[in-house]
Amino acid sequence: QVQLVESGGGLVQAGGSLRLSCAASGRIFSTYTIAWFRQAPGKEREFVAAVRWSSGWPYYADSVKGRFTISRDNAKNTVYLQMSSLKPEDTDVYYCAAGRGINVLSQLEYEYWGRGTQVTVSS
């Protein structure tokens, strides 16, 4: 069993930065991928970024490439999402997820989810 707790959300002006954290407790196997998804009310949950726990290899949605950076600290069992050059359209609830599936872009591949943290970007 894995528990995920997100933190670091908040209100920021357009062009600003935030760093989200996802703290994992329980047993994280080397085969896990940790991902960030986001969702606005009434919309589908959208893939943002993911990182392979063992290698650190990152994946990004096209909409955030060059602006967001995902990283992990194995010793702290924590994954970070550094968000820069934020835009109003980045406003969403951001969720952390863990899973062992192959298609890292699909939410169906993730077994464990956090409760989310709100990010609001004002124009």
Side-chain angles (χ1 to χ4, degrees):
Q1 191 77 4
V2 175
Q3 293 81 41
L4 304 171
V5 178
E6 304 96 335
S7 62
L11 174 63
V12 64
Q13 288 189 329
S17 299
L18 278 176
R19 188 177 81 158
L20 304 184
S21 299
C22 173
S25 59
R27 191 171 179 185
I28 303 292
F29 295 98
S30 61
T31 52
Y32 271 80
T33 298
I34 310 296
W36 288 95
F37 286 77
R38 63 188 182 185
Q39 187 173 25
K43 291 190 175 182
E44 294 273 326
R45 192 164 290 186
E46 175 190 24
F47 171 79
V48 176
V51 62
R52 297 285 191 190
W53 192 255
S54 57
S55 66
W57 191 264
Y59 302 83
Y60 296 99
D62 288 343
S63 58
V64 306
K65 274 181 185 174
R67 300 189 299 123
F68 291 10
T69 302
I70 191 169
S71 62
R72 91 259 189 261
D73 185 330
N74 292 42
K76 295 182 178 180
N77 267 13
T78 300
V79 170
Y80 303 100
L81 185 68
Q82 178 67 47
M83 307 186 294
S84 303
S85 302
L86 282 162
K87 305 174 182 179
E89 50 264 44
D90 294 317
T91 295
D92 271 320
V93 177
Y94 283 70
Y95 297 90
C96 180
R100 289 173 281 188
I102 296 174
N103 183 5
V104 299
L105 275 62
S106 172
Q107 59 177 312
L108 299 177
E109 300 287 294
Y110 295 90
E111 305 164 54
Y112 304 102
W113 291 84
R115 294 189 175 183
T117 185
Q118 176 71 48
V119 171
T120 302
V121 184
S122 63
S123 57

